[in-house]
Amino acid sequence: MEFKPDPYRPVSRWRRLFIAALAVAMAAFLTYSTTRKSGVVRNAVRHPADVATCAPGQTEGCVGSMTAVIAPPEPAAASR
Protein backbone atom coordinates (compact mmCIF):
# COMPACT_ATOMS: atom_id res chain seq x y z
CA MET A 1 0.00 0.00 0.00
CA GLU A 2 1.52 3.28 -1.10
CA PHE A 3 1.05 6.58 0.75
CA LYS A 4 -0.96 9.12 -1.22
CA PRO A 5 -1.20 12.67 0.16
CA ASP A 6 -4.60 14.32 0.31
CA PRO A 7 -5.30 16.68 -2.55
CA TYR A 8 -4.89 20.41 -1.82
CA ARG A 9 -8.13 22.10 -0.82
CA PRO A 10 -7.97 25.89 -0.74
CA VAL A 11 -9.47 27.69 2.27
CA SER A 12 -12.89 29.18 1.61
CA ARG A 13 -13.58 32.91 1.86
CA TRP A 14 -15.74 32.48 4.98
CA ARG A 15 -13.09 30.42 6.72
CA ARG A 16 -10.49 33.11 5.92
CA LEU A 17 -12.79 35.76 7.38
CA PHE A 18 -13.30 33.61 10.49
CA ILE A 19 -9.54 33.16 10.95
CA ALA A 20 -8.95 36.90 10.49
CA ALA A 21 -11.70 37.72 13.00
CA LEU A 22 -10.20 35.31 15.54
CA ALA A 23 -6.75 36.88 15.05
CA VAL A 24 -8.11 40.41 15.56
CA ALA A 25 -10.12 39.32 18.62
CA MET A 26 -7.09 37.61 20.16
CA ALA A 27 -4.87 40.65 19.53
CA ALA A 28 -7.48 42.96 21.07
CA PHE A 29 -7.89 40.72 24.12
CA LEU A 30 -4.14 40.40 24.67
CA THR A 31 -3.66 44.16 24.32
CA TYR A 32 -6.48 44.83 26.79
CA SER A 33 -5.35 42.23 29.32
CA THR A 34 -1.73 43.35 29.34
CA THR A 35 -2.41 47.09 29.55
CA ARG A 36 -5.24 47.23 32.09
CA LYS A 37 -4.49 47.93 35.72
CA SER A 38 -5.33 45.16 38.10
CA GLY A 39 -7.20 45.91 41.33
CA VAL A 40 -4.41 44.35 43.38
CA VAL A 41 -1.84 46.75 41.94
CA ARG A 42 -4.06 49.78 42.50
CA ASN A 43 -4.58 48.90 46.17
CA ALA A 44 -0.91 48.07 46.80
CA VAL A 45 0.23 51.56 45.78
CA ARG A 46 -1.63 53.24 48.63
CA HIS A 47 0.11 53.72 51.98
CA PRO A 48 -1.31 51.71 54.85
CA ALA A 49 -3.63 53.82 57.01
CA ASP A 50 -2.11 52.77 60.34
CA VAL A 51 1.52 53.67 59.48
CA ALA A 52 2.42 57.34 59.36
CA THR A 53 4.81 58.86 56.88
CA CYS A 54 8.20 59.91 58.24
CA ALA A 55 8.42 63.08 60.29
CA PRO A 56 11.47 65.31 59.73
CA GLY A 57 14.48 63.58 61.32
CA GLN A 58 12.67 60.26 61.88
CA THR A 59 14.64 57.30 60.54
CA GLU A 60 12.67 54.22 61.70
CA GLY A 61 9.12 52.92 62.02
CA CYS A 62 7.52 54.89 59.22
CA VAL A 63 6.74 54.55 55.54
CA GLY A 64 9.70 55.71 53.48
CA SER A 65 12.28 55.34 56.26
CA MET A 66 15.98 55.61 55.60
CA THR A 67 17.95 52.47 54.87
CA ALA A 68 21.62 51.75 55.41
CA VAL A 69 23.75 51.68 52.29
CA ILE A 70 26.88 49.57 52.12
CA ALA A 71 29.50 51.28 49.98
CA PRO A 72 33.16 50.51 49.33
CA PRO A 73 35.76 52.74 51.01
CA GLU A 74 37.20 55.70 49.12
CA PRO A 75 40.05 54.68 46.82
CA ALA A 76 43.56 55.71 47.81
CA ALA A 77 45.00 58.72 46.01
CA ALA A 78 47.39 58.00 43.18
CA SER A 79 51.06 58.72 43.94
CA ARG A 80 53.04 61.17 41.85
Side-chain angles (χ1 to χ4, degrees):
M1 183 189 239
E2 188 176 325
F3 174 75
K4 293 182 182 179
D6 292 334
Y8 173 72
R9 293 185 338 192
V11 180
S12 68
R13 180 183 306 170
W14 295 112
R15 180 138 320 172
R16 274 191 227 147
L17 281 173
F18 181 67
I19 292 170
L22 282 178
V24 169
M26 185 183 338
F29 173 74
L30 289 175
T31 302
Y32 167 74
S33 64
T34 57
T35 58
R36 72 184 177 100
K37 289 191 175 188
S38 173
V40 174
V41 173
R42 256 185 261 139
N43 293 336
V45 173
R46 298 182 189 145
H47 291 292
D50 59 344
V51 179
T53 56
C54 292
Q58 184 180 4
T59 59
E60 291 182 342
C62 58
V63 175
S65 63
M66 295 178 59
T67 58
V69 177
I70 300 173
E74 290 287 326
S79 61
R80 290 188 170 191

